[in-house]
Amino acid sequence: MQEEQNLIQRARQGDQDAFAQLYENHFDKIYRYVVLKIGNMAEAEDMTQQVFVKAYESIDSYRWQGIPFSAWLFRIAHNQMVDFVRKESKKKTIPFDESLPVLSDSNPEHEVEVKMEMEKVVLASRKLTGAQREVINLRFAGGLSIAEAAKTMRKSEGAIKALQHSAILALRKTLLVGE
Amino acid sequence: MGNNKRFNYILNECLEHMLAGDETIEQCLRRYPEYASELGSLLRTAVTVKKAVDIKPSADARARVRFQLQSIMSKPKAEKRVRAAVPRWAVAVCVVLLVFFLSGGTVLAADGSMPGNPLYPVKLITENVRVSLTGSEEKKAELYALFADRRMAELDYLVAKGKSADIEKVAQRLYKNYTMMGELSFVAGTESVTTASVPAPMLGAALASDNSTTTQQAETTGAKSIAGNSNASIRAKLKQILVYYASTQSDKIQKLLDSDKVPESAKIALRQALQTSGNNYQNAIDNLDDQ
């Protein structure tokens, strides 16, 4: 944590290496978060890039004040996604339900298998409420703790736990995971 | 603590241990036997979800984003402050333009690069810049058709080389390309196709060629540019180009779908591309007819 604060401080002073390190530390989880939201690799790359460009441009406005850097990044990502989904839903051009991510796996059979599971989860998560979906996304794709997810969503930890419970319950019904 | 709150607490506590990898579902259930039935199925669902979303971005994706980010960070602080006042797309255009002018030779060399080549990311970025710098929707349609043809050439190359891992990525890009084409809205009389800020792609040769993988030749030989003509004749020419590409590209996609050298995972994206290309080429052609 102290190391991250140090990186942030250096990045705010214009140290590009420090920001590059922050990028390396957080790229995977932001990418996963975006992929789970839109289920399309090409769009996910663009969106992830935009999140980090936005973070770089706005890092002067970041203040620690109890909000972890990851929570700040996910808020940026969330806002980008809201804009994206609003734009796309108006145009109705991207068939979300048909899009799939591409994985970096050298075993094609395993990759197809994982993709099918991913597709099931992406489709199932679309049946959740917005808040439930956000909790699942932050917790499982983003890897945030309950406390970090609560900071990101500006809710209490108790509310996040309740949302997590109801979301998994709803996913269980849709995914029909064996009892 | 109420029952619900207690259960939420227990569920989360087990999840934290499982996500951290220091406890199995069974170990957790042994600690809370009174909740074993309900807790077990929820934890199994959570594990299914976690496994499904536990993907890693490709090294290619990571490198592309890093490259673009570094390009942006390489700008002096003062310029970044000015940039904050302008739209994000303009920022990206300016930054990549800088790269474009500073490394013109690299950009030219990148145009012919194929997936896996170190210059390939530069090729993709340059394409984005060309679209961003083009004000006319007609010319954007032309560019998207051209870039789709490049993707087709790349797919041919990858199939020939047996690089199945990259085929799906390119197929996804092809699909995205068609999607972007479908987002264009042609508004009669509001933009002149001759005012584009970049040189018009020279696609005439593509019309005379039976092989769409000769795109590069079409772009670089002395084929007649569509720039400089009247808007009506440009639209007629563009329509010819789109009709040509619509036909040749759908045929090529179909061949790829029939090929056993293309992995099943890539065929999903190719089927999306095929469907999208048909609709969006038709929309673009119809839009031209309406004017």
Side-chain angles (χ1 to χ4, degrees):
Chain A
M1 192 66 80
Q2 188 57 42
E3 186 189 352
E4 181 159 272
Q5 288 222 48
N6 185 28
L7 286 173
I8 294 164
Q9 188 56 35
R10 282 167 50 205
R12 292 179 62 184
Q13 290 165 354
D15 184 336
Q16 292 176 11
D17 289 340
F19 190 83
Q21 188 57 52
L22 288 168
Y23 159 83
E24 292 293 342
N25 294 350
H26 294 279
F27 178 84
D28 283 12
K29 48 192 175 187
I30 295 290
Y31 178 85
R32 274 199 296 269
Y33 173 88
V34 175
V35 167
L36 183 56
K37 282 251 181 179
I38 60 178
N40 179 286
M41 185 209 71
E43 291 291 352
E45 273 183 37
D46 287 351
M47 295 297 301
T48 308
Q49 182 202 331
Q50 284 174 31
V51 170
F52 283 98
V53 169
K54 180 77 179 169
Y56 180 67
E57 288 171 344
S58 321
I59 196 154
D60 285 346
S61 70
Y62 173 73
R63 298 284 180 277
W64 176 249
Q65 294 176 341
I67 299 170
F69 184 69
S70 57
W72 184 71
L73 274 181
F74 277 106
R75 275 188 201 169
I76 293 176
H78 173 75
N79 291 337
Q80 299 269 91
M81 300 304 302
V82 168
D83 289 347
F84 174 82
V85 171
R86 189 184 297 130
K87 199 173 110 187
E88 294 306 321
S89 62
K90 277 182 191 167
K91 292 176 182 168
K92 293 181 180 170
T93 50
I94 290 194
F96 277 18
D97 291 352
E98 295 170 19
S99 52
L100 280 168
V102 169
L103 311 178
S104 56
D105 193 309
S106 55
N107 180 343
E109 280 179 20
H110 179 240
E111 188 167 320
V112 170
E113 196 179 304
V114 173
K115 273 178 183 214
M116 288 170 69
E117 285 303 309
M118 174 78 176
E119 185 184 24
K120 277 188 208 165
V121 170
V122 168
L123 294 177
S125 74
R126 285 176 186 154
K127 293 181 180 170
L128 302 175
T129 67
Q132 286 173 336
R133 193 163 54 240
E134 190 67 10
V135 168
I136 291 297
N137 210 332
L138 291 172
R139 290 281 282 138
F140 295 99
L144 295 192
S145 66
I146 286 287
E148 287 169 328
K151 290 272 196 315
T152 305
M153 293 180 67
R154 297 190 174 97
K155 289 182 184 292
S156 70
E157 292 186 23
I160 298 294
K161 283 178 191 168
L163 281 166
Q164 177 177 258
H165 179 190
S166 62
I168 297 174
L169 204 55
L171 286 171
R172 183 184 66 179
K173 285 177 188 158
T174 311
L175 294 171
L176 298 172
V177 175
E179 301 284 316
Chain B
M1 192 184 281
N3 277 346
N4 266 348
K5 273 190 178 178
R6 176 164 166 72
F7 188 79
N8 288 342
Y9 170 84
I10 291 169
L11 172 65
N12 191 59
E13 198 247 346
C14 287
L15 273 177
E16 292 292 348
H17 284 297
M18 284 169 48
L19 295 178
D22 53 23
E23 195 172 65
T24 64
I25 294 178
E26 288 67 31
Q27 286 170 327
C28 174
L29 297 183
R30 275 199 290 274
R31 288 196 291 120
Y32 299 104
E34 69 275 31
Y35 295 107
S37 172
E38 178 68 359
L39 196 54
S41 64
L42 290 179
L43 290 176
R44 277 187 280 277
T45 303
V47 167
T48 302
V49 173
K50 177 64 184 167
K51 274 187 186 167
V53 302
D54 197 17
I55 56 169
K56 290 206 184 306
S58 67
D60 195 26
R62 182 185 276 274
R64 259 197 308 279
V65 176
R66 189 193 299 118
F67 178 85
Q68 292 177 319
L69 194 61
Q70 281 171 344
S71 300
I72 290 168
M73 290 196 302
S74 67
K75 300 218 37 155
K77 195 80 175 174
E79 286 184 52
K80 279 188 305 223
R81 290 195 186 285
V82 172
R83 213 175 57 213
V86 298
R88 187 179 295 111
W89 66 266
V91 172
V93 166
C94 291
V95 170
V96 186
L97 243 192
L98 185 71
V99 175
F100 186 91
F101 286 120
L102 290 180
S103 56
T106 306
V107 170
L108 280 177
D111 264 2
S113 64
M114 288 289 162
N117 185 297
L119 288 178
Y120 185 67
V122 179
K123 177 183 181 179
L124 297 179
I125 293 167
T126 310
E127 289 177 359
N128 287 337
V129 172
R130 288 177 72 179
V131 171
S132 301
L133 287 178
T134 302
S136 131
E137 299 287 275
E138 289 90 341
K139 188 141 320 274
K140 282 183 181 174
E142 183 190 358
L143 284 172
Y144 284 131
L146 165 67
F147 298 153
D149 217 47
R150 285 182 171 186
R151 297 297 87 81
M152 298 304 310
E154 290 162 11
L155 286 167
D156 281 349
Y157 165 84
L158 292 169
V159 170
K161 293 277 180 188
K163 295 183 173 179
S164 58
D166 287 331
I167 292 177
E168 187 178 357
K169 294 172 196 167
V170 175
Q172 287 269 7
R173 285 190 199 109
L174 178 68
Y175 166 56
K176 183 185 176 189
N177 201 86
Y178 289 134
T179 304
M180 298 298 284
M181 181 189 279
E183 290 175 2
L184 297 176
S185 54
F186 294 73
V187 182
T190 55
E191 289 176 340
S192 164
V193 292
T194 59
T195 57
S197 312
V198 289
M202 298 175 178
L203 291 173
L207 292 168
S209 167
D210 284 332
N211 182 359
S212 60
T213 59
T214 57
T215 306
Q216 226 180 316
Q217 296 163 21
E219 290 177 68
T220 54
T221 57
K224 186 182 175 187
S225 167
I226 65 169
N229 296 329
S230 70
N231 279 2
S233 67
I234 287 167
R235 288 198 184 99
K237 191 85 172 173
L238 176 57
K239 188 179 166 188
Q240 274 185 290
I241 291 170
L242 295 182
V243 168
Y244 169 82
Y245 275 145
S247 159
T248 56
Q249 289 173 5
S250 63
D251 287 348
K252 287 178 75 69
I253 294 173
Q254 193 55 59
K255 277 182 189 166
L256 288 165
L257 284 170
D258 294 339
S259 167
D260 54 7
K261 291 181 180 174
V262 176
E264 194 52 42
S265 56
K267 289 185 180 177
I268 296 169
L270 284 173
R271 276 191 282 273
Q272 290 175 345
L274 184 62
Q275 185 184 7
T276 315
S277 85
N279 295 340
N280 291 348
Y281 268 119
Q282 196 54 54
N283 286 343
I285 291 165
D286 290 347
N287 276 325
L288 287 167
D289 282 338
D290 290 343
Q291 294 182 50

